[in-house]
Each structure stands twice: as C-alpha cells, then as structure tokens.
C-alpha cells in the first residue's frame, strides 16, 4: 500500500501551533510522580490531558487507581474495526540537577527545539501520537484509536496492572503501540522488540551479636563481609560477567542472526556509550559484543555491601553482620521466580547461614520482529523518516508493558521518537519538531497499516 499522502503535509503544518501550545501547557505542570509535593500537579496534568482529548473530539476520562490517576480516551470509529491502544506516560522525572541551564518547568521554544522537563519523556511523543490519531480519524481510517496515559510510570507503575482490570474504563485492544523509548542514533529510527526483566535479592548474614575487635577475636571469629564476598564470587565472574549460578542460562533464548544484524545496524557507538556514562573501560570493546551484553544477555550485579566500618581510615573490627544487595537482569525466557529459586538453592548449598530475601521481580519481554505488526512498524518509520528502523532491545524494564502483556495477551509494538541528545532522564531535556512532524507521519502510516489488517488474527 502506498504511504504517500498529499494532505498530510498541510495537516502537519497547521497542527504545529496546536502541538506547541499543548506541549507548553503540559510541560509547565511539574508532574513529578515521585514527589508527594507535586501530587496536585500530577492530577492537574491528567485533567488537562482529558481536556485535550475532548477538545480534539475524542471521548476521555480520568480513571482513579488508588494512586495517581490515569487517562483513558480515544475514538471508536466502528465496532468491527481493529482497536489499537497507544500507551504513553505524562508523569516526569524530578529536575533538580544543577546542570539545568533554564527553569526545567518553563517551556521554551528555540527554533525547532522544545526545552523543558517531560518534552521528550514522554509528553512530546504522547501529543505526537494524539495529533496523528486526529488525522487518521478525519481521514476516515477504519481503526479504533485508544489512548492510555499513565501518571506513575517513573515510579514503576504500582497501580497500573490493577487499573487494567477496570474493563469499562480501559477497553482491551487488539494491539498496543508504546512510544516511550530512545533511538540509538539520530539518523536511524529504532524500534524496541525486547526488555530485560529483573529479580533482586538481599543476602544477609549474622555471625555475632555485635562487632568485635580483630586483635582479640580475629582468626577465630567468622567474618560475614568476607563470606558474602565469597558468595558474590560464587555467583558471578567479575571479569567476564558470566553468571555461575547452576541452571541460570537454561531458558535463555539467544537473539537470532537477523536480530544481531539489526543491533549492529542501530548506529550504536562504543565511544559515545563510554562518554555518556563516564566509563574508563568496559568488559567488551566491539560494538556488537557491547550491545549483545546490554540488550540480550542476563547479568548478576552487586550493588552494595553493608556492614563493618566505613568511616575514614581503617578500624579493626570483625563485623557481627553484613548484607549484600544484588539484582539480576533477565532476558527471554528466563522467569524471575525460577531464577530466584536457583539463587536461593545455590546460596543454601554454599553457605546455609545466609538468608536470601527477594527484592522485586519483573518478567522480561520479547516482542515480534516479523509478521504484519513488525512490517507495519517498518512502513511507519519509512513514511515518517525515510528509513528502515533497526529492531533493537532495551536493557531496562518497563513495568507497564509487562502489565499489558498479562492483562491482554496482544501484540505490543514500540515506536519511540526520542533521540539520544534529547536528555532523557537528564538535565536540559528537549524534543524537536523534526521528531514530532516525522512522528505524526510515522504514526499515521502505522495506523493505516493496522486498518488494512482488519481481517488478520494473530
Ligand atoms: Zn518514559
């Protein structure tokens, strides 16, 4: 199907002031979900979003969740049309970094650039999708376009899964489109097709009532911190990162050849990666190896070792107790509960005195990389940006995605619009008109593909 559309250029041109006006209003409400002092702003953001939807002719409602509300709305064009839910979030990260060159919640337009917290994550992409949907409805595309705008994404979506059960307010779609991810490089659209999962644990060991003097007791006294270090060593090879827990890799599905090729085509650069995160050296040097490690391999990380003396100099204590804080990033098809059980068994065999307690679990996610939905993503990005997208993965987790998988069991596709230089979760966050206008074209083409898939049942 042809994606050329003479009317869309003039639509986009006319939509620009509306886009900028709505973005300014949203950015100037500091919807920091993490900070209870901003609870009122979060609620006002939801109310404003409901207004925006209604102004454009969609129906919309604010849905109570027990925490911050969420916004549900959209256009139903026909009962037999395919329904897509477009997921975005309207809460933002705090913005207290001293590096901000402007007030973070004052929207500022500078030519093609839009400055302010939330412009790229995720208010700009949300409005881009909204204006694309408005166009699709006016063009009479046979597709139902629903919006689900969360306001607790930045705090791990604690009430999202429960809210999806409210079928009256949140209807079950045939597919989901998520627009909340970052391209790997400016000149190459990227579509995520996988997220890593997570399982955390605290390993605690108490060998005495209190700290003791090493001159009086050392040699006979057990040292819980040293024992916990030995356990860390028994779980992971610190040089290679290889996890040593028996059975840990059993369920790992390695990326396909096509996926690895797509990873390489994403524009990932090791030098830039090192610069962004301030690394002096890495466990791997080749780009292909680095991306495979961060996107498609599981990990075991030590985050903290607590106990003993941590003040200036050295104090000769033998600690009475210690705690090791660890997490494992998981890839498809590892299951957090099973991996936690493997860890617990491994530790019990090596050191039965250590208590292993779970600290949060998230399933990994694997999306489709072929078939009509993946093809629709390709068509969309080509229409919007003139280029084939690279199918990549995310090293992190998005809790909301897993909730939608479990509630609906429908395909979930990703079309993010953020660029690495947009300052995602960082000071001086920005978004730009190039990504917004290309994004409108991309989403419109994607919706047109979905409409044409009316009779496809996955
Ligand atoms: Zn986000």
């Amino acid at each position: 199907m042809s994606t050329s559309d003479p009317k869309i250029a003039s639509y986009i041109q006319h939509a620009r002031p509306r886009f900028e006006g709505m973005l300014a209003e949203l950015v100037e409400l500091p919807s920091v979900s993490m900070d209870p002092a901003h609870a009122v702003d979060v609620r006002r953001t939801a109310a404003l979003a409901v207004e925006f939807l209604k102004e454009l002719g969609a129906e919309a409602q604010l849905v109570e969740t027990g925490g911050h509300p969420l916004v549900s709305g959209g256009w139903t064009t026909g009962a037999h049309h395919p329904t897509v839910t477009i997921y975005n979030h309207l809460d933002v990260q705090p913005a207290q970094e001293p590096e901000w060159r402007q007030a973070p919640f004052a929207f500022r337009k500078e030519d093609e650039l839009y400055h302010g917290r939330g412009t790229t994550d995720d208010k700009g992409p949300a409005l881009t999708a909204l204006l694309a949907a408005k166009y699709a409805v006016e063009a009479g595309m046979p597709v139902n376009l629903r919006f689900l705008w969360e306001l607790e994404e930045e705090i791990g979506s604690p009430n999202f899964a429960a809210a999806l059960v409210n079928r009256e307010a949140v209807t079950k779609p045939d597919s989901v489109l998520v627009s909340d991810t970052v391209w790997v490089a400016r000149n190459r659209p990227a579509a995520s097709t996988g997220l890593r999962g997570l399982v955390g644990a605290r390993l605690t060991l108490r060998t005495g009532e209190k700290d003791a003097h090493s001159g009086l007791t050392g040699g006979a006294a057990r040292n819980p911190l040293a024992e916990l270090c030995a356990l860390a060593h028994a779980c992971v090879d610190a040089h290679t990162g290889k996890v040593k827990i028996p059975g840990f890799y059993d369920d790992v599905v390695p990326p396909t050849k096509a996926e690895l090729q797509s990873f390489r085509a994403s524009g990932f650069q090791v030098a830039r990666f090192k610069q962004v995160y301030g690394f002096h050296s890495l466990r791997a040097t080749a780009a292909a190896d680095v991306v495979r490690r961060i996107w498609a391999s599981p990990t075991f990380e030590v985050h903290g070792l607590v106990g003993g003396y941590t003040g200036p100099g050295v104090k000769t204590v033998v600690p009475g107790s210690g705690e090791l804080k660890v997490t494992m990033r998981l890839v498809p098809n590892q299951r957090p509960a099973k991996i936690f059980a493997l860890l617990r068994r491994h530790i019990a065999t090596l050191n039965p005195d250590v208590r292993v307690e779970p600290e949060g679990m998230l399933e990994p996610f694997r999306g489709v990389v072929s078939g009509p939905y993946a093809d629709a993503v390709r068509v969309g990005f080509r229409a919007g940006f003139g280029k084939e997208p690279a199918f990549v993965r995310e090293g992190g987790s998005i809790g909301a995605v897993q909730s939608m998988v479990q509630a609906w069991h429908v395909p979930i596709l990703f079309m993010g619009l953020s660029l690495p230089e947009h300052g995602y979760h960082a000071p001086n966050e920005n978004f730009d008109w190039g990504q917004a206008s290309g994004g409108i074209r991309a989403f419109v083409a994607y919706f047109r593909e979905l409409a044409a898939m009316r009779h496809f049942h996955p």
Side-chain angles (χ1 to χ4, degrees):
M1 171 179 276
S2 162
T3 56
S4 65
D5 186 336
K7 287 196 300 266
I8 197 161
S10 90
Y11 173 81
I12 289 174
Q13 197 191 339
H14 285 102
R16 184 170 180 174
R18 176 164 235 163
F19 174 83
E20 291 172 352
M22 289 194 293
L23 185 59
E25 279 193 72
L26 280 182
V27 167
E28 297 198 348
L29 284 175
S31 51
V32 183
S33 49
M34 213 174 279
D35 185 349
H38 285 299
V40 173
D41 297 312
V42 174
R43 191 160 281 272
R44 283 169 66 204
T45 301
L48 182 64
V50 167
E51 245 176 72
F52 286 168
L53 279 157
K54 287 184 173 168
E55 275 168 19
L56 288 176
E59 54 85 16
Q61 60 180 304
L62 201 138
V63 182
E64 294 299 339
T65 69
H68 297 303
L70 58 82
V71 175
S72 172
W75 285 273
T76 303
T77 58
H80 302 290
H81 298 163
T83 301
V84 57
T85 288
I86 301 133
Y87 169 92
N88 289 92
H89 66 88
L90 299 179
D91 60 324
V92 298
Q93 286 276 316
Q96 284 142 336
E97 302 94 338
E99 294 91 341
W100 278 93
R101 291 185 296 266
Q102 66 159 75
F105 298 106
F107 178 80
R108 189 165 60 86
K109 183 184 159 191
E110 180 192 13
D111 303 324
E112 300 279 294
L113 282 184
Y114 309 120
H115 298 275
R117 175 56 94 218
T119 46
T120 201
D121 180 22
D122 183 30
K123 291 171 172 176
L127 294 174
T128 303
L130 175 61
L131 288 172
K134 170 77 176 159
Y135 180 84
V137 170
E138 282 178 356
M141 283 184 206
V143 57
N144 298 319
L145 297 151
R146 305 283 318 170
F147 291 92
L148 198 50
W149 288 340
E150 200 191 358
L151 288 118
E152 293 190 324
E153 196 276 339
E154 301 292 4
I155 52 172
S157 305
N159 298 293
F160 189 67
L164 298 186
V165 177
N166 182 351
R167 285 276 163 94
E168 250 161 62
V170 185
T171 42
K172 181 188 171 195
D174 300 304
S175 69
V176 174
L177 183 65
V178 175
S179 186
D180 184 26
T181 46
V182 191
W183 295 7
V184 179
R186 155 174 279 280
N187 51 13
R188 186 75 196 250
S192 299
T193 59
L195 304 167
R196 287 197 290 192
L198 183 74
V199 53
R202 289 184 303 113
L203 278 55
T204 55
L205 176 59
R206 177 167 283 285
T207 54
E209 287 304 309
K210 55 189 180 197
D211 293 356
H213 188 278
S214 70
L216 301 173
T217 66
R222 288 173 66 182
N223 188 312
L225 294 185
E227 290 186 31
L228 290 170
C229 288
L231 286 182
H233 176 68
C235 287
V236 65
D237 181 322
H239 295 288
T240 62
K242 193 171 162 44
V243 180
K244 300 196 271 187
I245 302 166
F248 182 80
Y249 290 99
D250 285 0
D251 301 325
V252 170
V253 179
T256 63
K257 238 184 201 161
E259 276 184 281
L260 290 173
Q261 231 160 46
S262 208
F263 290 179
R264 278 196 297 275
S266 68
F268 182 91
Q269 288 177 315
V270 177
R272 188 187 154 81
F273 176 73
K274 286 172 76 172
Q275 182 231 321
V276 166
Y277 296 100
F279 291 131
H280 300 159
S281 57
L282 297 170
R283 283 178 177 152
T285 50
D289 196 7
V290 173
V291 293
R292 191 184 171 133
R293 281 167 174 270
I294 57 178
W295 293 342
S297 307
T299 65
F300 183 104
E301 300 290 356
V302 174
H303 305 293
L305 179 60
V306 185
Y309 177 73
T310 57
V314 175
K315 188 179 172 202
T316 54
V317 293
V318 178
S321 66
E323 180 184 74
L324 188 70
K325 298 173 189 291
V326 304
T327 67
M328 290 159 275
R329 292 276 170 189
L330 308 180
V331 299
N333 291 329
Q334 290 176 303
R335 308 300 304 269
K338 179 178 171 186
I339 295 295
F340 180 76
L342 292 176
L343 170 72
R344 181 173 256 169
R345 194 178 66 195
H346 188 48
I347 301 299
T349 313
L350 296 169
N351 195 333
D353 294 340
V354 172
R355 281 177 48 163
V356 183
E357 281 165 297
E359 214 28 65
M361 294 192 186
L362 268 176
E363 303 279 342
F365 167 77
R366 187 159 196 235
V368 291
V369 286
S370 60
Y373 284 101
D375 286 344
V377 169
R378 286 190 181 92
V379 170
F381 273 127
R382 266 204 309 267
F385 300 96
K387 273 176 194 158
E388 199 57 32
F391 285 101
V392 300
R393 298 208 204 165
E394 301 285 316
S397 316
I398 305 179
V401 168
Q402 216 33 257
S403 300
M404 291 189 283
V405 168
Q406 275 154 24
W408 296 332
H409 304 283
V410 299
I412 299 187
L413 287 298
F414 288 76
M415 287 177 77
L417 297 176
S418 299
L419 297 177
E421 53 269 46
H422 280 162
Y424 206 90
H425 286 203
N428 303 308
E429 180 175 345
N430 62 90
F431 192 56
D432 66 74
W433 178 243
Q435 291 304 98
S437 56
I440 293 175
R441 281 176 197 274
F443 290 138
V444 165
Y446 181 77
F447 299 151
R448 186 177 283 121
E449 292 298 302
L450 290 191
M453 274 161 59
R454 229 168 323 186
H455 306 295
F456 171 75
H457 298 282

